């Protein structure tokens, strides 16, 4: 699947496709996932912004089901890797295999050569294997035996991990975390929502009847539209000020990187496009700052409150929320842009 080239007329025709098709995708995913529209919207936002997502939550919360439902809603390639301690980097990227008939080496492509990649329980693999995704996620290419192979567009990684289980797991390095545009959590369900899950899955898994509602070409049109959303200088300064505030925060060892600031801008564009606007507003940035920035912070032991994943996540999120309260947002009338 190659990226389309747009004329001016095609570009004008594409405007608004994010909002229209986005609603269709979200409603299709909600046939399987109950009561998590905000998380589904953010997951789709990252996809349109050409980012990747780390889903961290308790076992049985629907992380894998959400990723698979999104992939099935799109008419695109899908692969799943079940990460385990004995998984090798070549199991992820692929390898050259000697062909006795041709007396040459043939490339056996790994599961990363796809459009939507589900990296299930990514923290169960060793850091060496986790590193096999670094080049794929950032540069969208795979280097095998010194030869680089470009990955097909669109390329999106949805990784899952359990935050409370430590036996047989390996924490993701900071360099790996920084390559995820967002870190999301589904959270719990209300009593009514949990009852709705029982009713919906009582006789047959609705995922089995799920069909694609958007083609690969339409998805790339949506991504193209998101890239063209206007971000004024005042909002760019606002994002930079928030990021710089994380670097000078007390008991924050490492703040948000420049890659993180760029990720926030790209995500804000995609979120605005899904909202039916061709410009960003401060509320887009406030909405996305925690899922985009929080997992990039490296906190001191005292601020994290311990070594548990939930404690660190809560502390990092609270730090970002405090910064959002302290940094003044632009007050221009963005509706006239």
């Amino acid at each position: 699947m190659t990226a389309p080239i747009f004329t001016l007329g095609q570009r004008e025709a594409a405007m608004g496709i994010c909002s229209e098709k986005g609603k269709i995708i979200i409603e299709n995913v909600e046939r399987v996932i109950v009561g998590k529209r905000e998380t589904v919207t953010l997951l789709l936002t990252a996809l349109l912004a050409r980012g990747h997502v780390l889903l961290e939550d308790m076992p049985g919360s629907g992380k894998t089901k959400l990723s698979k439902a999104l992939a099935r809603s799109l008419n695109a390639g899908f692969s799943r890797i079940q990460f385990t301690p004995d998984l090798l980097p070549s199991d992820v990227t692929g390898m050259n295999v000697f062909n006795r008939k041709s007396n040459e080496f043939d490339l056996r492509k790994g599961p990363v050569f796809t459009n939507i990649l589900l990296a299930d329980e990514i923290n169960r693999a060793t850091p060496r294997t986790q590193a096999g995704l670094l080049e794929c996620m950032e540069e969208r290419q795979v280097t095998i035996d010194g030869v680089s192979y470009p990955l097909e567009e669109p390329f999106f990684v949805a990784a899952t991990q359990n935050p409370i289980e430590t036996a047989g797991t390996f924490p993701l390095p900071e360099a790996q975390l920084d390559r995820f545009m967002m870190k999301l959590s589904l959270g719990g369900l209300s009593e009514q929502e949990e009852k709705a899950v029982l009713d919906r899955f009582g006789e047959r898994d609705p995922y089995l009847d799920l069909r694609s509602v958007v083609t690969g070409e339409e998805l790339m049109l949506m991504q193209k539209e998101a890239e063209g959303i206007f971000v004024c200088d005042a909002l760019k300064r606002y994002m930079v000020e928030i990021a710089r505030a994380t670097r000078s925060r007390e008991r924050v060892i490492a703040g948000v990187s420049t890659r993180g600031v760029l990720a926030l801008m790209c995500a804000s564009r995609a979120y605005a496009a899904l909202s039916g606007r061709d410009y960003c507003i401060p509320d887009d940035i406030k909405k996305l700052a925690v899922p985009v920035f929080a997992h990039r912070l490296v906190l001191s032991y005292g601020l994290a409150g311990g070594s548990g994943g939930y404690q660190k996540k809560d502390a990092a999120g609270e730090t970002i929320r405090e910064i959002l309260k302290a940094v003044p947002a632009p007050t221009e009338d963005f509706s006239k842009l």
Side-chain angles (χ1 to χ4, degrees):
M1 194 180 299
T2 58
I5 300 174
F6 300 99
T7 65
L8 179 59
Q10 290 172 325
R11 173 65 186 160
E12 292 175 350
M15 290 304 295
I17 191 175
C18 273
S19 177
E20 176 190 346
K21 295 294 184 180
K23 290 178 182 177
I24 295 174
I25 295 173
I26 292 170
E27 289 171 0
N28 198 55
V29 173
E30 285 185 325
R31 294 176 58 192
V32 177
I33 304 299
V34 177
K36 299 300 175 185
R37 170 159 289 212
E38 180 178 343
T39 305
V40 175
T41 302
L42 292 177
L43 186 68
L44 181 57
T45 298
L47 172 59
L48 297 185
R50 304 181 190 273
H52 310 286
V53 169
L54 177 62
L55 291 166
E56 182 180 83
D57 215 320
M58 300 288 288
S61 59
K63 303 183 297 295
T64 301
K65 186 73 75 175
L66 170 60
S67 304
K68 292 173 66 178
L70 176 65
R72 182 162 284 193
S73 298
L74 310 171
N75 187 14
F78 173 72
S79 293
R80 173 178 176 173
I81 306 174
Q82 190 66 49
F83 279 71
T84 56
D86 60 347
L87 195 73
L88 298 175
S90 58
D91 296 327
V92 176
T93 60
M95 61 188 299
N96 286 311
V97 178
F98 186 71
N99 187 329
R100 291 187 178 182
K101 291 183 179 180
S102 63
N103 207 31
E104 294 178 346
F105 282 92
D106 295 334
L107 175 63
R108 182 175 295 173
K109 293 182 178 181
V112 294
F113 287 89
T114 187
N115 300 122
I116 311 293
L117 176 66
L118 172 57
D120 212 9
E121 296 187 275
I122 188 173
N123 59 331
R124 288 196 174 277
T126 62
R128 177 189 177 193
T129 302
Q130 292 176 15
L133 284 174
L134 292 178
E135 182 184 16
C136 309
M137 294 171 65
E138 182 65 19
E139 301 175 46
R140 284 171 164 72
Q141 68 176 25
V142 178
T143 300
I144 302 173
D145 294 338
V147 180
S148 295
Y149 302 91
L151 295 174
E152 209 173 321
E153 290 290 347
F155 179 67
F156 176 68
V157 176
T160 70
Q161 71 174 6
N162 177 354
I164 62 170
E165 195 171 16
T166 57
T169 63
F170 303 85
L172 270 64
E174 302 303 331
Q176 181 85 58
L177 285 172
D178 199 41
R179 279 166 169 77
F180 285 102
M181 176 172 280
M182 296 186 197
K183 183 178 180 181
L184 303 176
S185 175
L186 278 83
L189 297 171
S190 67
E191 183 178 346
Q192 293 77 15
E193 290 169 343
E194 203 156 12
K195 169 65 164 53
V197 171
L198 299 182
D199 294 336
R200 188 172 299 184
F201 286 80
E203 296 182 0
R204 178 177 171 85
D205 188 344
Y207 171 78
L208 299 176
D209 300 320
L210 212 60
R211 296 292 180 266
S212 62
V213 293
V214 171
T215 65
E217 290 73 18
E218 288 173 328
L219 176 60
M220 287 189 287
L221 272 172
M222 295 170 70
Q223 291 179 329
K224 200 73 175 179
E225 179 186 338
E227 289 176 350
I229 298 300
F230 177 70
V231 183
C232 71
D233 287 341
L235 286 183
K236 291 177 182 178
R237 286 194 296 269
Y238 182 46
M239 288 184 273
V240 170
E241 288 172 2
I242 296 171
R244 294 183 70 84
T246 66
R247 300 166 194 162
S248 58
R249 196 75 176 181
E250 184 180 1
R251 292 198 288 183
V252 176
I253 299 173
V256 174
S257 66
T258 303
R259 181 194 284 132
V261 186
L262 183 59
L264 180 59
M265 185 178 71
C266 294
S268 298
R269 282 174 168 163
Y271 191 80
L274 284 174
S275 302
R277 288 180 274 105
D278 60 0
Y279 57 90
C280 290
I281 59 176
D283 284 348
D284 297 333
I285 296 169
K286 293 177 181 178
K287 179 73 175 179
L288 296 166
V290 172
V292 174
F293 277 177
H295 66 284
R296 303 173 193 272
L297 299 185
V298 180
L299 307 178
S300 66
Y301 182 84
L303 184 57
S307 58
Y310 271 125
Q311 294 169 320
K312 181 176 182 180
K313 183 186 75 171
D314 289 340
E318 187 59 36
T319 299
I320 298 298
R321 283 186 282 270
E322 290 174 358
I323 290 174
L324 289 174
K325 292 178 182 178
V327 176
T331 56
E332 288 84 355
D333 185 359
F334 288 88
S335 62
K336 296 180 180 179
L337 296 177

